[in-house]
Amino acid sequence: MRRRDMAERWQEPFSKAEMARIRAALRDEPRLLDEALALARRLARALPFAEDVVAAYHCVRDPATSPRVKMILLGALAYFVMPLDAMPDVLPVFGFTDDAAVLAAALTAVRGAIRPEHRARAREALAEEGPASPGF
């Protein structure tokens, strides 16, 4: 895709197919969370914000987290795992910059909801081998 085409794409609304995938991902919360955790663990060494992704995962799984916070974080995690996004994740260096920006915006919006125990569980989950336990 040419640079100009990509710049114009930023201003376009999501297509019907993209919106359908986003809605489907949000309806299937357990699968979305599993995919986000698996992707973050797989990319942990190369992804500087992997701990934030997994901390958001644990915050969503925490029954004490408010529904508003859960929806904001689920939206960011859905964007993280969606193969259709503004910058294809296969692009070296730049592929995850849009994911990082969306996650940073979500974390800023819910500042304080991600508690130290969520971060501690994230560090443990990233250090483990194999599937991570849901935790809460």
Side-chain angles (χ1 to χ4, degrees), residues 14-84:
F14 287 116
S15 70
K16 287 184 179 183
E18 290 169 327
M19 286 305 298
R21 287 188 55 90
I22 290 168
R23 286 187 187 104
L26 289 175
R27 279 192 302 269
D28 192 0
E29 181 181 321
R31 192 187 100 246
L32 169 70
L33 290 173
D34 290 344
E35 287 179 17
L37 181 60
L39 183 58
R41 291 180 84 185
R42 201 168 47 250
L43 301 171
R45 290 193 180 125
L47 203 61
F49 59 94
E51 184 180 317
D52 293 324
V53 171
V54 181
Y57 164 89
H58 285 292
C59 185
V60 169
R61 298 293 309 240
D62 187 347
T65 301
S66 77
R68 177 186 170 276
V69 169
K70 286 183 180 186
M71 288 308 295
I72 290 169
L73 293 176
L74 280 171
L77 292 172
Y79 189 83
F80 177 67
V81 300
M82 296 289 290
L84 301 170

Side-chain angles (χ1 to χ4, degrees), residues 77-108:
L77 292 172
Y79 189 83
F80 177 67
V81 300
M82 296 289 290
L84 301 170
D85 58 13
M87 298 276 292
D89 295 337
V90 296
L91 293 174
V93 181
F94 298 109
F96 285 102
T97 55
D98 59 324
D99 300 276
V102 168
L103 186 64
L107 293 174
T108 299

